[in-house]
């Protein structure tokens, strides 16, 4: 089994699309109706032409990465999708981490910056109930927003609460671990890193014990 499979992840059905369905999706997405949300017109024309002879989802992903278009990369753990990368229509890279029920329990959002690198601008994290059966069985949801200058905002939703709790850093925090170099195609491992921060770097932001999973092991 390959470590990375370049087929789309179907969120609604919690499964990886087949290679055939993946190519079908993009051949219809980049039909000559040219939507400004999917890149400039000339790039869409190139994509439409390329997809006429494209024979594999990996071949499409490589083309899409070079031209700033949409694609998915599923990271495998034996026969299970452990997490997946989505290069979306605004050129962000979103890394979604899956639990044993194939639900997303956390995701990272990286945005390209003027220096050519990517910066982790946001995290969303769910704390589930012990008897979770559906994606609505959560206790709390946290959303973290990072700025390159070190400003951090945390929003906490408690299920059933009338108001959300908002925390904003009073001083710039150390966000060096939020940066990623733009990789060569296929060199995705650094983006899939779950444990990103040393303990102490962002203690003020990660106050809840559930976020221990993002800290590196000593």
């Amino acid at each position: 089994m390959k470590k990375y499979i370049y087929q789309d992840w179907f969120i609604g059905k919690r499964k990886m699309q087949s290679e055939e369905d993946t190519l079908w999706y993009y051949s219809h997405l980049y039909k000559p109706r040219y939507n400004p949300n999917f890149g400039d017109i000339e790039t869409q024309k190139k994509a439409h032409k390329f997809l006429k002879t494209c024979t594999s989802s990996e071949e499409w992903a490589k083309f899409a990465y070079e031209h700033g278009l949409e694609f998915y990369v599923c990271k495998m753990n034996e026969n299970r999708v452990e997490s997946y990368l989505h290069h979306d229509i605004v050129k962000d890279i979103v890394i979604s981490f899956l639990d044993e029920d194939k639900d997303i329990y956390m995701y990272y959002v990286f945005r390209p910056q003027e220096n050519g690198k990517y910066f982790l601008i946001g995290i969303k994290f769910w704390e589930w109930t012990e008897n979770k059966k559906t994606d609505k069985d959560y206790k709390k949801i946290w959303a973290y927003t990072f700025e390159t200058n070190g400003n951090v905002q945390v929003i906490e939703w408690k299920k059933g609460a009338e108001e959300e709790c908002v925390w904003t850093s009073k001083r710039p925090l150390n966000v060096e671990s939020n940066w990623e170099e733009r990789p060569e195609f296929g060199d995705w491992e650094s983006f899939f890193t779950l444990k990103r921060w040393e303990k102490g770097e962002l203690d003020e932001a990660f106050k809840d014990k559930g976020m221990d999973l993002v800290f590196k092991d000593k």
Side-chain angles (χ1 to χ4, degrees):
M1 174 68 69
K2 291 183 178 180
K3 188 173 187 178
Y4 301 120
I5 296 181
Y6 296 86
Q7 294 166 204
D8 287 11
W9 178 259
F10 197 151
I11 296 175
K13 293 186 177 180
R14 295 186 178 91
K15 70 174 186 177
M16 185 169 54
Q17 296 279 59
S18 68
E19 186 165 59
E20 181 181 4
D21 287 344
T22 297
L23 291 175
W24 178 89
Y25 169 74
Y26 292 114
S27 66
H28 282 70
L29 182 66
Y30 294 105
K31 274 186 174 180
R33 60 181 179 273
Y34 305 129
N35 187 326
N37 293 321
F38 302 133
D40 64 84
I41 300 302
E42 290 305 314
T43 301
Q44 290 179 64
K45 287 180 178 178
K46 288 180 183 178
H48 177 66
K49 182 178 180 180
F50 180 82
L51 284 160
K52 287 182 176 180
T53 58
C54 182
T55 59
S56 77
S57 51
E58 182 173 351
E59 187 181 356
W60 162 252
K62 186 174 184 178
F63 176 91
Y65 187 51
E66 292 172 354
H67 293 84
L69 303 177
E70 186 179 4
F71 67 94
Y72 282 79
V73 182
C74 291
K75 182 180 179 182
M76 308 302 295
N77 182 354
E78 295 182 351
N79 293 319
R80 181 176 70 87
V81 178
E82 179 180 79
S83 50
Y84 65 85
L85 177 156
H86 180 205
H87 187 270
D88 64 21
I89 61 175
V90 296
K91 301 182 181 179
D92 287 347
I93 287 181
V94 182
I95 306 294
S96 298
F97 300 94
L98 306 178
D99 61 18
E100 293 180 354
D101 298 319
K102 301 180 182 178
D103 288 320
I104 300 171
Y105 66 86
M106 186 170 72
Y107 64 74
Y108 292 149
V109 180
F110 294 88
R111 181 157 293 169
Q113 304 295 314
E114 292 183 357
N115 61 6
K117 298 180 180 182
Y118 284 86
F119 184 78
L120 194 160
I121 63 166
I123 301 175
K124 196 167 186 179
F125 173 80
W126 288 260
E127 180 183 350
W128 305 105
T129 59
E130 292 182 2
N131 60 342
K132 179 180 77 72
K133 294 181 180 179
T134 74
D135 55 10
K136 294 182 180 180
D137 295 331
Y138 64 87
K139 294 180 181 179
K140 295 180 182 179
I141 302 176
W142 289 269
Y144 299 79
T145 304
F146 300 88
E147 298 179 14
T148 57
N149 60 11
N151 291 336
V152 181
Q153 184 183 75
V154 183
I155 301 176
E156 177 186 320
W157 293 273
K158 187 175 181 179
K159 191 171 184 180
E162 294 183 1
E163 296 182 355
E164 61 190 26
C165 179
V166 180
W167 176 87
T168 303
S169 58
K170 294 181 174 58
R171 61 181 180 84
L173 303 183
N174 182 2
V175 292
E176 287 300 314
S177 296
N178 291 50
W179 288 98
E180 287 287 349
E181 299 284 345
R182 176 178 170 83
E184 295 293 327
F185 179 81
D187 188 16
W188 311 116
E189 195 60 29
S190 187
F191 273 101
F192 280 105
T193 301
L194 177 61
K195 295 180 180 292
R196 295 196 154 265
W197 295 275
E198 300 287 352
K199 289 187 177 181
E201 283 185 318
L202 293 176
D203 281 355
E204 291 181 44
F206 295 133
K207 295 180 179 181
D208 190 87
K209 63 180 181 179
M211 291 306 294
D212 284 347
L213 56 90
V214 307
F215 292 118
K216 296 176 182 178
D217 297 323
K218 289 187 177 181

